[in-house]
Amino acid sequence: MGTGLIRDGQGHDGEVANPPRIDVRWGVLSLIALLCACVDKSDPPRDITGADADRGLAVIRRVGCASCHGIPGIQWPQGLTGPTLEGFADGPMIGGQFPNRPDVLIDWLIDAPSMAPATAMPAIPLTESEARDVAAYLYTLHD
Amino acid sequence: MTRSVADGIAAWPPAALDPAGPFAGPLNTLSWVLFAMGGAVLLIVLIALGVALFGPRRWRAKLGGAKLVWIGGFAFPVVVLSALLIYGLSLTSHLTQEPGPGEMRVRVTGEMWWWRVAYLDAQGREGFQDANEVHIPTGRPVVFELDSADVIHSFWVPRLSGKVDMIPGRRNLLRLQADEPGAYGGQCAEYCGGPHALMGLVVVAHAPADYAAWLRKQSAPAVAAAQPAAGAEVFARAGCGACHAVAGTAFNGQAGPDLSHVGSRRTLGAGILPNNQGTMAGWISNSQSIKPGNRMPAYPVLTGQELRDVSAWLESLK
């Protein structure tokens, strides 16, 4: 296996005279390091029971969120009034003021002005379940 | 959003082949007659081509004669196309006749890149204005008087009637009729610059009693019940009234769409966005990011609170 790794690194003509064992260990260590990277401690669980991201995207289209926000998955429009929602799932804050958690996001989507009186984002005509679907979609938007 | 062929098939029939009234019906018939005849001619040509390439020598000799060229290349097209022209004109001539007494009349003026709508009385005098949405009663023809304020546009509501150009300085006529209540989409069908593709409109058909109710509501100002008052102040301070009129106020600008009942419209930006406070705020704040090149400037001078107030006030103009 160790020679295999080295051959790959050297291309086709890899006649390895003296295969050094240390490379095997480096390979294994790198693999472990890579696997560790899959556990992102800054990414809290954001399962929203019963919510459906596809339905959320349909709601986003119907309500017209994209008239203010650039939203991946919506080609037009890409409004500039609000921030782009690209990578929203990886951002720590909502509206620059509130922790990016599902319960906070759902409240924000329905009635942002009650949380931040100076925001330009008006209350949006969404039911609780529509807002949950929209939140589920927004949490699919990774960088 | 990308559309696939499968989406297209799922959405069959397209609006142009899905008539919803007696004026669109004959056009649909004519379309299918044209498709069928075009298909038949293509078939004949392909068979002749096959014979010319692979047929027995005797058949090929016949195809090469001058007689076939005269019959197939001259007599046949003249007869068939003339018959088709007469048939087509007979199906569509009544679409563009002058309005008779008692017929309902609406004037729609194409503007870059929206539609000015004026409801006319029997003498052709202007009643009230609206924009980007035309309301009609079901079950009777409505004469649309079409012109343009700038460049050539084309008025097309495929499910209700044909397509007619709007030409500056001309008054073109087109009859529409809807058999069932509903909202029927339309689109500018002649490239008119910049955001031409974002120049849509909606024709809303009501049952006659509902139409009468709509007409009563629409001809009276809605501003008395509009909230919040702070929104009206923002509207005045930002100078919106220089381009937009609101019935019952001093705002009487004529450059842009009439906003007297803007909150009751189905769409914003000329048939392109759903109409709610959020889309209204986005449009006011930066319509250029939504419909690039349209004549309304962005308003980066408003605070969040002001934007919410003015959009709420406009949405309450029902």
Side-chain angles (χ1 to χ4, degrees), chain A residues 61-64 67-68 73-81 113 116-125, chain B residues 1-2 198 272-274 276-283 285-286 289-292 303-305 307-308 311:
Chain A
R61 276 188 213 291
R62 180 171 55 73
V63 176
S67 30
C68 288
I74 303 220
Q75 205 171 47
W76 176 90
Q78 296 178 357
L80 296 175
T81 300
T119 181
M121 177 155 158
I124 305 294
Chain B
M1 166 175 43
T2 43
L198 298 176
I272 59 172
L273 290 177
N276 57 52
Q277 197 196 346
T279 54
M280 178 68 88
W283 177 267
S285 160
N286 192 341
S289 63
I290 297 168
K291 185 166 174 173
T303 65
Q305 175 81 52
L307 192 59
R308 276 182 12 240
S311 54

Side-chain angles (χ1 to χ4, degrees), chain A residues 40-67:
Chain A
D40 184 352
K41 294 188 183 62
S42 71
D43 196 11
R46 275 150 170 181
D47 295 329
I48 304 174
T49 311
D52 180 90
D54 289 342
R55 280 203 309 260
L57 182 59
V59 171
I60 286 172
R61 276 188 213 291
R62 180 171 55 73
V63 176
C65 308
S67 30

Side-chain angles (χ1 to χ4, degrees), chain B residues 223-239:
Chain B
V223 73
Q227 292 293 334
E233 286 159 27
V234 175
F235 191 87
R237 211 162 52 236

Side-chain angles (χ1 to χ4, degrees), chain B residues 260-318:
Chain B
S260 303
H261 297 270
V262 67
S264 67
R265 282 185 207 144
R266 276 144 186 80
T267 65
L268 279 188
I272 59 172
L273 290 177
N275 185 9
N276 57 52
Q277 197 196 346
T279 54
M280 178 68 88
W283 177 267
I284 295 167
S285 160
N286 192 341
S287 68
Q288 295 299 324
S289 63
I290 297 168
K291 185 166 174 173
N294 92 83
R295 299 215 159 135
M296 175 155 162
Y299 279 83
V301 294
L302 300 177
T303 65
Q305 175 81 52
E306 286 172 329
L307 192 59
R308 276 182 12 240
D309 285 343
V310 72
S311 54
W313 184 72
L314 288 166
E315 287 299 324
S316 69
L317 292 170
K318 295 284 187 192

